[in-house]
Amino acid sequence: MKRFHSLSEVRSELAAGTTSCRQLVAYYLGNIERQRHLNAFLEVWADEALAQADAVDAKLAAGTAGPLAGMVVGLKDVLAYAGHSLQSSSRMLDGFKSLFTGTAVQRLLDADAILIGRQNCDEFAMGGSNETSYFGPARNAADPNRVPGGSSGGSAVAVQADLCLASIGSDTGGSVRQPAAFCGVIGLKPTYSRISRYGLVAFASSFDQIGPLTRSVQDAALLLEVMAGADGLDSTASQRPVPAYSRQLTPAPHYRIGYIADAVDNAGLNPEIKAALETQLNLLRGQGHVVEAVDFPYLDFMIPTYYILTTAEASSNLGRFDGVKYGYRAPDATDLESLYKKSRAQGFGAEVQRRILLGTFVLSANYYDAYYTKAQRVRRLIKDKTDELLRQYDFLVLPTTPTTAFKIGEKQNPVSMYLADIFTVQASLAGVPAISVPVGEDAAGLPIGLQIMAGAFREAELLAFASVLTEEVLA
């Protein structure tokens, strides 16, 4: 069976009778088995996926199938699916099975998506390389000695390696967009609140957002359309009506596009990524769009602001994992205090412990105002400036990552790992939508991603513009 680029291609063959949902699932199951060395999936629901496929085939025959019929989807290991393991790639949740299905996952099922398995990620979504997973790193299909990015690394690899048609990840500071760039696929972070977070394991609640990884913009638009919308189970989910994103992909003839000059001229930016970005900007100028450099004075403050705030929220959110109610419990605990200490010390990996400690420190009485309060003020400055630029321009364009995929084990210094998020955290701090699209490869054949930001709740325009940039790359 050939590799499918989009759901529309799948549906064409389903309509022609040249394939079936059962055959699609069998094809992906075979690919997963053949590429187990990539460590993209932690668990594969083979029998269940085949049963779902049979049910969808029957619906297609009866003309009652939903909009995602024929789409085989993988779930990042932070999304709740009733009766299925939910471990956040951590020892801390060893053996835990979800008691309920999250809103976004339920909406996929209601639209007749076929869920094929649970995907590897950084532990509790904390990392930029998928190396902090308790189950070991996922590996980049372009070069298995390199990382796929993180934290949604397994989800990106699964799409890259044709192990499923689409994946659902989560993005806190770039955890969908960065692995999308490293793996040469499309990764969308919607506006904060656009998709309900009910059923998403919390890392940093004021940043976390569910987002799709796909091979086509059309599929990203359709998945967003299905998952988005108000939810009585999540008071932070937006009440705004959900546009028909998948039917609004016709771009305007001309846009005003800004690019952050300091990002393009950043000393840490890989020269090949810079060249690819400049090539795209010149192509856009040639198409008649207005393309101008813009000044963003807070670039150097974004990483410290992001990590102060997210570690503070992580410290609070992960306090519930104490060895008492569920998950890992230290076998050598002798009293309640040692149960807490040993369960958390043994259950959490080094990076999660580091972020909990950092977050507890910045929330402590003596340092709260010096760090946490100040970071909240800087976040407001970043948001206000970003919103100002997005009122002047339709989109902001910048690299997704400063480098292409690096080798496994290369970034041992946590600070160097954190700096890999320098271009993705802006959209997260401002709460605006952003998408990473592939724009080519470097000399070593490693994918390069370009990031586009738009104003809040302007996903329709963002996706339409992204479709222009991807129609040649992924054809």
Side-chain angles (χ1 to χ4, degrees), residues 90-144:
S90 176
R91 187 184 190 188
M92 180 57 79
L93 285 174
D94 191 22
F96 178 73
K97 290 185 182 293
S98 179
L99 302 177
F100 67 96
T101 298
T103 298
V105 176
Q106 188 59 57
R107 288 174 178 172
L108 294 174
L109 291 168
D110 293 344
D112 286 331
I114 299 167
L115 305 185
I116 198 168
R118 178 169 60 103
Q119 296 165 330
N120 201 355
C121 62
D122 280 301
E123 184 181 11
F124 281 99
M126 297 182 191
S129 64
N130 213 141
E131 292 175 281
T132 72
S133 170
Y134 177 60
F135 302 100
R139 296 176 178 272
N140 197 310
D143 179 353

Short mmCIF file of all heavy atoms in Angstrom, two decimals, residues 90-144:
data_model
loop_
_atom_site.label_atom_id
_atom_site.label_comp_id
_atom_site.label_asym_id
_atom_site.label_seq_id
_atom_site.Cartn_x
_atom_site.Cartn_y
_atom_site.Cartn_z
N SER A 90 6.41 8.04 32.24
CA SER A 90 7.05 8.16 33.55
C SER A 90 6.86 6.90 34.37
O SER A 90 5.82 6.23 34.30
CB SER A 90 6.46 9.36 34.31
OG SER A 90 6.99 9.44 35.61
N ARG A 91 7.85 6.59 35.18
CA ARG A 91 7.72 5.50 36.15
C ARG A 91 6.64 5.83 37.18
O ARG A 91 6.02 4.94 37.74
CB ARG A 91 9.06 5.26 36.84
CG ARG A 91 9.09 4.04 37.74
CD ARG A 91 10.43 3.94 38.46
NE ARG A 91 10.56 2.65 39.15
CZ ARG A 91 11.56 2.36 39.97
NH1 ARG A 91 12.51 3.26 40.20
NH2 ARG A 91 11.61 1.18 40.56
N MET A 92 6.44 7.12 37.42
CA MET A 92 5.51 7.56 38.46
C MET A 92 4.09 7.04 38.21
O MET A 92 3.33 6.78 39.15
CB MET A 92 5.51 9.09 38.55
CG MET A 92 4.57 9.66 39.60
SD MET A 92 4.86 9.04 41.27
CE MET A 92 6.28 10.03 41.76
N LEU A 93 3.70 6.89 36.96
CA LEU A 93 2.35 6.41 36.64
C LEU A 93 2.36 4.98 36.11
O LEU A 93 1.47 4.58 35.37
CB LEU A 93 1.69 7.36 35.62
CG LEU A 93 1.20 8.69 36.20
CD1 LEU A 93 0.71 9.61 35.09
CD2 LEU A 93 0.11 8.47 37.23
N ASP A 94 3.36 4.22 36.52
CA ASP A 94 3.47 2.84 36.09
C ASP A 94 2.22 2.05 36.45
O ASP A 94 1.78 2.04 37.61
CB ASP A 94 4.70 2.20 36.75
CG ASP A 94 5.03 0.86 36.15
OD1 ASP A 94 4.64 0.60 35.01
OD2 ASP A 94 5.69 0.05 36.84
N GLY A 95 1.61 1.44 35.44
CA GLY A 95 0.43 0.61 35.68
C GLY A 95 -0.89 1.34 35.73
O GLY A 95 -1.94 0.71 35.84
N PHE A 96 -0.87 2.67 35.60
CA PHE A 96 -2.11 3.44 35.71
C PHE A 96 -2.90 3.37 34.41
O PHE A 96 -2.36 3.52 33.32
CB PHE A 96 -1.80 4.90 36.05
CG PHE A 96 -3.02 5.77 36.13
CD1 PHE A 96 -3.88 5.68 37.20
CD2 PHE A 96 -3.31 6.68 35.11
CE1 PHE A 96 -5.02 6.48 37.27
CE2 PHE A 96 -4.44 7.48 35.18
CZ PHE A 96 -5.30 7.38 36.27
N LYS A 97 -4.19 3.16 34.54
CA LYS A 97 -5.10 3.20 33.39
C LYS A 97 -6.13 4.30 33.62
O LYS A 97 -6.63 4.46 34.73
CB LYS A 97 -5.81 1.85 33.21
CG LYS A 97 -4.89 0.73 32.73
CD LYS A 97 -5.67 -0.53 32.46
CE LYS A 97 -4.76 -1.68 32.04
NZ LYS A 97 -4.13 -1.44 30.73
N SER A 98 -6.42 5.03 32.57
CA SER A 98 -7.33 6.16 32.70
C SER A 98 -8.75 5.67 33.00
O SER A 98 -9.22 4.68 32.43
CB SER A 98 -7.33 6.99 31.41
OG SER A 98 -8.23 8.06 31.52
N LEU A 99 -9.44 6.42 33.85
CA LEU A 99 -10.82 6.09 34.22
C LEU A 99 -11.83 6.81 33.33
O LEU A 99 -13.03 6.56 33.44
CB LEU A 99 -11.06 6.47 35.68
CG LEU A 99 -10.13 5.79 36.70
CD1 LEU A 99 -10.41 6.30 38.10
CD2 LEU A 99 -10.27 4.29 36.64
N PHE A 100 -11.36 7.69 32.47
CA PHE A 100 -12.27 8.46 31.62
C PHE A 100 -11.55 8.82 30.32
O PHE A 100 -10.33 8.66 30.21
CB PHE A 100 -12.75 9.73 32.33
CG PHE A 100 -11.64 10.74 32.57
CD1 PHE A 100 -11.43 11.79 31.69
CD2 PHE A 100 -10.80 10.63 33.67
CE1 PHE A 100 -10.41 12.71 31.89
CE2 PHE A 100 -9.78 11.55 33.90
CZ PHE A 100 -9.59 12.59 33.00
N THR A 101 -12.31 9.31 29.37
CA THR A 101 -11.77 9.76 28.09
C THR A 101 -11.82 11.28 28.02
O THR A 101 -12.85 11.88 28.30
CB THR A 101 -12.57 9.16 26.91
OG1 THR A 101 -12.46 7.74 26.96
CG2 THR A 101 -12.05 9.66 25.58
N GLY A 102 -10.70 11.89 27.68
CA GLY A 102 -10.64 13.34 27.56
C GLY A 102 -11.52 13.85 26.42
O GLY A 102 -11.84 13.12 25.48
N THR A 103 -11.88 15.11 26.51
CA THR A 103 -12.80 15.70 25.54
C THR A 103 -12.27 15.62 24.11
O THR A 103 -12.99 15.21 23.18
CB THR A 103 -13.09 17.16 25.91
OG1 THR A 103 -13.71 17.19 27.19
CG2 THR A 103 -14.00 17.82 24.88
N ALA A 104 -11.02 16.01 23.89
CA ALA A 104 -10.47 15.99 22.53
C ALA A 104 -10.46 14.58 21.96
O ALA A 104 -10.80 14.37 20.79
CB ALA A 104 -9.06 16.58 22.53
N VAL A 105 -10.08 13.60 22.78
CA VAL A 105 -10.04 12.21 22.32
C VAL A 105 -11.45 11.71 22.01
O VAL A 105 -11.68 11.04 20.99
CB VAL A 105 -9.36 11.31 23.37
CG1 VAL A 105 -9.42 9.85 22.96
CG2 VAL A 105 -7.91 11.74 23.58
N GLN A 106 -12.41 12.06 22.86
CA GLN A 106 -13.79 11.63 22.62
C GLN A 106 -14.33 12.22 21.33
O GLN A 106 -15.05 11.54 20.57
CB GLN A 106 -14.68 12.05 23.79
CG GLN A 106 -16.10 11.48 23.71
CD GLN A 106 -16.12 9.97 23.68
OE1 GLN A 106 -15.60 9.33 24.58
NE2 GLN A 106 -16.71 9.39 22.64
N ARG A 107 -13.98 13.46 21.04
CA ARG A 107 -14.45 14.07 19.80
C ARG A 107 -13.83 13.40 18.58
O ARG A 107 -14.48 13.30 17.52
CB ARG A 107 -14.15 15.57 19.83
CG ARG A 107 -15.06 16.32 20.81
CD ARG A 107 -14.71 17.79 20.97
NE ARG A 107 -15.65 18.43 21.87
CZ ARG A 107 -15.53 19.67 22.34
NH1 ARG A 107 -14.49 20.43 21.98
NH2 ARG A 107 -16.44 20.18 23.15
N LEU A 108 -12.60 12.92 18.70
CA LEU A 108 -12.00 12.15 17.61
C LEU A 108 -12.78 10.86 17.37
O LEU A 108 -13.08 10.50 16.23
CB LEU A 108 -10.54 11.82 17.94
CG LEU A 108 -9.55 12.97 18.02
CD1 LEU A 108 -8.19 12.46 18.50
CD2 LEU A 108 -9.39 13.67 16.67
N LEU A 109 -13.08 10.17 18.46
CA LEU A 109 -13.83 8.92 18.35
C LEU A 109 -15.21 9.16 17.76
O LEU A 109 -15.69 8.39 16.92
CB LEU A 109 -13.95 8.26 19.73
CG LEU A 109 -12.65 7.70 20.32
CD1 LEU A 109 -12.85 7.35 21.79
CD2 LEU A 109 -12.20 6.47 19.55
N ASP A 110 -15.87 10.23 18.20
CA ASP A 110 -17.21 10.54 17.70
C ASP A 110 -17.20 10.85 16.21
O ASP A 110 -18.22 10.68 15.53
CB ASP A 110 -17.80 11.72 18.48
CG ASP A 110 -18.09 11.38 19.93
OD1 ASP A 110 -18.14 10.18 20.27
OD2 ASP A 110 -18.25 12.32 20.74
N ALA A 111 -16.05 11.33 15.72
CA ALA A 111 -15.92 11.65 14.29
C ALA A 111 -15.40 10.47 13.48
O ALA A 111 -15.09 10.61 12.30
CB ALA A 111 -15.00 12.86 14.10
N ASP A 112 -15.30 9.30 14.13
CA ASP A 112 -14.89 8.04 13.49
C ASP A 112 -13.41 7.94 13.16
O ASP A 112 -13.01 7.20 12.24
CB ASP A 112 -15.73 7.75 12.24
CG ASP A 112 -17.14 7.30 12.59
OD1 ASP A 112 -17.32 6.70 13.68
OD2 ASP A 112 -18.07 7.56 11.81
N ALA A 113 -12.57 8.66 13.91
CA ALA A 113 -11.13 8.41 13.82
C ALA A 113 -10.84 7.03 14.41
O ALA A 113 -11.54 6.57 15.31
CB ALA A 113 -10.35 9.48 14.57
N ILE A 114 -9.80 6.39 13.92
CA ILE A 114 -9.38 5.08 14.42
C ILE A 114 -8.10 5.28 15.23
O ILE A 114 -7.09 5.75 14.70
CB ILE A 114 -9.13 4.11 13.25
CG1 ILE A 114 -10.42 3.91 12.44
CG2 ILE A 114 -8.60 2.77 13.76
CD1 ILE A 114 -10.20 3.22 11.10
N LEU A 115 -8.15 4.97 16.51
CA LEU A 115 -7.01 5.18 17.40
C LEU A 115 -6.16 3.92 17.46
O LEU A 115 -6.65 2.85 17.81
CB LEU A 115 -7.50 5.56 18.80
CG LEU A 115 -8.44 6.78 18.86
CD1 LEU A 115 -8.77 7.14 20.30
CD2 LEU A 115 -7.84 7.98 18.13
N ILE A 116 -4.88 4.06 17.12
CA ILE A 116 -4.04 2.88 16.94
C ILE A 116 -3.07 2.64 18.08
O ILE A 116 -2.58 1.52 18.25
CB ILE A 116 -3.27 2.98 15.60
CG1 ILE A 116 -2.74 1.61 15.18
CG2 ILE A 116 -2.15 4.02 15.67
CD1 ILE A 116 -2.23 1.54 13.75
N GLY A 117 -2.75 3.65 18.90
CA GLY A 117 -1.82 3.38 19.99
C GLY A 117 -1.38 4.62 20.74
O GLY A 117 -1.76 5.75 20.43
N ARG A 118 -0.55 4.36 21.76
CA ARG A 118 -0.05 5.38 22.69
C ARG A 118 1.41 5.65 22.35
O ARG A 118 2.21 4.72 22.22
CB ARG A 118 -0.21 4.83 24.11
CG ARG A 118 0.30 5.69 25.22
CD ARG A 118 -0.16 5.15 26.59
NE ARG A 118 0.32 3.79 26.83
CZ ARG A 118 1.34 3.50 27.64
NH1 ARG A 118 2.00 4.46 28.25
NH2 ARG A 118 1.71 2.24 27.82
N GLN A 119 1.76 6.93 22.24
CA GLN A 119 3.06 7.31 21.69
C GLN A 119 4.02 7.87 22.74
O GLN A 119 3.63 8.54 23.69
CB GLN A 119 2.85 8.34 20.58
CG GLN A 119 2.09 7.77 19.39
CD GLN A 119 1.57 8.83 18.45
OE1 GLN A 119 1.27 9.96 18.86
NE2 GLN A 119 1.44 8.48 17.17
N ASN A 120 5.29 7.59 22.52
CA ASN A 120 6.37 7.99 23.41
C ASN A 120 6.49 9.51 23.48
O ASN A 120 6.19 10.22 22.51
CB ASN A 120 7.68 7.39 22.90
CG ASN A 120 8.75 7.29 23.96
OD1 ASN A 120 8.58 7.75 25.08
ND2 ASN A 120 9.88 6.68 23.60
N CYS A 121 6.93 10.02 24.63
CA CYS A 121 7.13 11.46 24.79
C CYS A 121 8.11 11.69 25.93
O CYS A 121 8.46 10.77 26.68
CB CYS A 121 5.80 12.18 25.09
SG CYS A 121 4.98 11.68 26.63
N ASP A 122 8.57 12.92 26.07
CA ASP A 122 9.36 13.27 27.24
C ASP A 122 8.52 13.10 28.50
O ASP A 122 7.30 13.34 28.48
CB ASP A 122 9.88 14.71 27.14
CG ASP A 122 11.10 14.83 26.25
OD1 ASP A 122 12.11 14.18 26.56
OD2 ASP A 122 11.04 15.57 25.25
N GLU A 123 9.15 12.71 29.59
CA GLU A 123 8.43 12.46 30.83
C GLU A 123 7.62 13.68 31.26
O GLU A 123 8.16 14.77 31.40
CB GLU A 123 9.41 12.07 31.94
CG GLU A 123 8.71 11.69 33.24
CD GLU A 123 9.67 11.33 34.36
OE1 GLU A 123 10.89 11.57 34.20
OE2 GLU A 123 9.20 10.82 35.39
N PHE A 124 6.32 13.47 31.45
CA PHE A 124 5.38 14.54 31.80
C PHE A 124 5.51 15.73 30.85
O PHE A 124 5.30 16.88 31.23
CB PHE A 124 5.55 14.97 33.26
CG PHE A 124 4.88 14.03 34.22
CD1 PHE A 124 5.63 13.06 34.88
CD2 PHE A 124 3.52 14.08 34.45
CE1 PHE A 124 5.02 12.17 35.75
CE2 PHE A 124 2.90 13.19 35.31
CZ PHE A 124 3.66 12.22 35.97
N ALA A 125 5.89 15.44 29.61
CA ALA A 125 6.01 16.45 28.54
C ALA A 125 7.09 17.47 28.83
O ALA A 125 7.06 18.57 28.30
CB ALA A 125 4.67 17.15 28.30
N MET A 126 8.08 17.10 29.64
CA MET A 126 9.15 18.03 30.01
C MET A 126 10.44 17.63 29.30
O MET A 126 11.16 16.73 29.74
CB MET A 126 9.36 18.02 31.53
CG MET A 126 8.15 18.50 32.29
SD MET A 126 8.46 18.53 34.07
CE MET A 126 6.77 18.78 34.67
N GLY A 127 10.71 18.31 28.19
CA GLY A 127 11.91 18.04 27.44
C GLY A 127 11.77 18.49 26.00
O GLY A 127 10.67 18.74 25.52
N GLY A 128 12.90 18.58 25.32
CA GLY A 128 12.89 19.02 23.94
C GLY A 128 13.52 18.01 22.99
O GLY A 128 13.87 18.36 21.87
N SER A 129 13.65 16.75 23.45
CA SER A 129 14.34 15.77 22.61
C SER A 129 13.77 14.36 22.73
O SER A 129 14.23 13.46 22.03
CB SER A 129 15.83 15.72 22.99
OG SER A 129 15.97 15.26 24.33
N ASN A 130 12.81 14.14 23.58
CA ASN A 130 12.23 12.82 23.87
C ASN A 130 13.23 11.91 24.58
O ASN A 130 13.04 10.69 24.65
CB ASN A 130 11.71 12.15 22.60
CG ASN A 130 10.49 11.27 22.84
OD1 ASN A 130 9.57 11.23 22.03
ND2 ASN A 130 10.45 10.56 23.96
N GLU A 131 14.30 12.48 25.13
CA GLU A 131 15.30 11.68 25.84
C GLU A 131 14.97 11.50 27.32
O GLU A 131 15.62 10.69 27.98
CB GLU A 131 16.68 12.34 25.72
CG GLU A 131 17.24 12.31 24.31
CD GLU A 131 18.55 13.08 24.19
OE1 GLU A 131 18.51 14.32 24.12
OE2 GLU A 131 19.61 12.43 24.20
N THR A 132 14.00 12.22 27.85
CA THR A 132 13.68 12.08 29.27
C THR A 132 12.63 11.01 29.52
O THR A 132 12.26 10.76 30.66
CB THR A 132 13.21 13.42 29.89
OG1 THR A 132 11.89 13.72 29.41
CG2 THR A 132 14.16 14.55 29.56
N SER A 133 12.14 10.35 28.48
CA SER A 133 11.14 9.30 28.64
C SER A 133 11.69 8.14 29.46
O SER A 133 12.83 7.70 29.27
CB SER A 133 10.69 8.78 27.27
OG SER A 133 9.89 7.61 27.40
N TYR A 134 10.88 7.62 30.36
CA TYR A 134 11.24 6.44 31.14
C TYR A 134 11.47 5.24 30.24
O TYR A 134 12.20 4.31 30.60
CB TYR A 134 10.11 6.16 32.14
CG TYR A 134 10.29 4.92 33.00
CD1 TYR A 134 11.39 4.79 33.85
CD2 TYR A 134 9.36 3.89 32.96
CE1 TYR A 134 11.55 3.66 34.65
CE2 TYR A 134 9.51 2.75 33.75
CZ TYR A 134 10.60 2.64 34.59
OH TYR A 134 10.74 1.52 35.38
N PHE A 135 10.90 5.25 29.04
CA PHE A 135 10.99 4.14 28.11
C PHE A 135 12.10 4.32 27.08
O PHE A 135 12.16 3.59 26.10
CB PHE A 135 9.65 3.95 27.40
CG PHE A 135 8.51 3.70 28.34
CD1 PHE A 135 7.65 4.73 28.69
CD2 PHE A 135 8.32 2.45 28.91
CE1 PHE A 135 6.60 4.50 29.57
CE2 PHE A 135 7.28 2.22 29.79
CZ PHE A 135 6.42 3.25 30.13
N GLY A 136 12.96 5.29 27.30
CA GLY A 136 14.03 5.55 26.35
C GLY A 136 13.60 6.48 25.24
O GLY A 136 12.41 6.71 25.03
N PRO A 137 14.54 7.03 24.50
CA PRO A 137 14.21 8.03 23.48
C PRO A 137 13.54 7.42 22.25
O PRO A 137 13.84 6.29 21.86
CB PRO A 137 15.58 8.61 23.11
CG PRO A 137 16.53 7.49 23.36
CD PRO A 137 16.00 6.77 24.58
N ALA A 138 12.62 8.18 21.67
CA ALA A 138 12.21 7.89 20.30
C ALA A 138 13.35 8.34 19.39
O ALA A 138 14.19 9.16 19.77
CB ALA A 138 10.91 8.61 19.96
N ARG A 139 13.37 7.82 18.17
CA ARG A 139 14.47 8.11 17.25
C ARG A 139 13.94 8.71 15.95
O ARG A 139 12.90 8.31 15.45
CB ARG A 139 15.29 6.85 16.97
CG ARG A 139 15.97 6.30 18.22
CD ARG A 139 16.71 5.00 17.97
NE ARG A 139 17.37 4.56 19.20
CZ ARG A 139 18.60 4.94 19.56
NH1 ARG A 139 19.31 5.73 18.76
NH2 ARG A 139 19.13 4.50 20.69
N ASN A 140 14.70 9.65 15.43
CA ASN A 140 14.31 10.34 14.20
C ASN A 140 14.44 9.39 13.01
O ASN A 140 15.48 8.76 12.81
CB ASN A 140 15.22 11.56 14.01
CG ASN A 140 14.67 12.54 13.02
OD1 ASN A 140 14.29 12.19 11.92
ND2 ASN A 140 14.63 13.81 13.41
N ALA A 141 13.39 9.26 12.23
CA ALA A 141 13.41 8.34 11.09
C ALA A 141 14.39 8.77 10.01
O ALA A 141 14.87 7.94 9.23
CB ALA A 141 12.00 8.21 10.50
N ALA A 142 14.73 10.07 9.96
CA ALA A 142 15.70 10.54 8.98
C ALA A 142 17.11 10.09 9.34
O ALA A 142 17.97 9.93 8.46
CB ALA A 142 15.65 12.06 8.87
N ASP A 143 17.36 9.90 10.63
CA ASP A 143 18.65 9.42 11.15
C ASP A 143 18.40 8.91 12.56
O ASP A 143 18.25 9.70 13.49
CB ASP A 143 19.68 10.55 11.16
CG ASP A 143 21.04 10.09 11.71
OD1 ASP A 143 21.15 8.94 12.21
OD2 ASP A 143 22.00 10.89 11.66
N PRO A 144 18.33 7.59 12.75
CA PRO A 144 17.99 7.04 14.07
C PRO A 144 18.97 7.37 15.18
O PRO A 144 18.69 7.11 16.35
CB PRO A 144 17.95 5.52 13.80
CG PRO A 144 17.64 5.40 12.34
CD PRO A 144 18.37 6.55 11.70
#
